[in-house]
Amino acid sequence: MKKPKNIVAKLVFLGLSFIIGVALSMQLKIYDAQSGSSISGTAAHLQLELTNIREQKQKTEREIAELEEKIKLLKDSQTQSDELYQNLQKEIEQYELYAGLTKASGEGVSIEFATDTIEQYELLMANFDLILSVINKLNAAGAEGIAINEERVVFSTDLRYEQGNLLVNDVPVGKPIKIYAIGNPQTLEATLNMKYGILWEIRNNFGISVKIEQSDEIVLPMYTQEIRFDFAQIRE
């Protein structure tokens, strides 16, 4: 967004130049009158010119004061405009972060499903709703961002198993399957590791090893798919 600071400065400079030029031209007229006539012949004329100069001086001072006030108002307005722009920009960045439209980083946890054999991987894929359960538990524990391998999980993310591949956002993800989540590491891990909880079920009922680690920096990719609304509309 291009701001009009240079244009305002040029207009103010031209206005001041015009006023000062008028004042100087009046003074030069007096000097010419003094050099071209006798003192007795020009006394009344000089008195009249002096009166005009004083009036012009007062008018110039008023116009300068008005211009200075306008400059002050423009500066204040520009400052308010800058603050409004910065606040709007921050809000937009927050919405982009929430919607997954930008990369994100922060402390959190990583969860890895150790499917060392084809049988373990196929078992996990046959019960891929377990991965959905992990994501739901992370959301309930206050996760501020989630990704599966290199795919960001957002409100429209589709997770399904098709033709031997796990598809996330219609993109096949390879193994090992890893889930990354940003949030309070202790809270996220404790929620997932509850006795008889989701990770307990995966380990004990399905025999799949799951490793969860806390990290000071989890990096999430941005959501790269197109977000479309076919039915929802903005309502004023």
Side-chain angles (χ1 to χ4, degrees), residues 136-174:
N136 289 336
K137 293 297 182 182
L138 289 169
N139 281 322
E144 297 177 354
I146 299 173
I148 300 177
N149 286 21
E150 295 301 319
E151 288 298 317
R152 188 74 168 267
V153 176
V154 297
F155 71 95
S156 61
T157 290
D158 179 33
L159 181 67
R160 67 184 188 275
Y161 182 63
E162 189 174 285
Q163 296 180 349
N165 293 308
L166 178 65
L167 302 182
V168 181
N169 298 326
D170 292 326
V171 177
V173 296

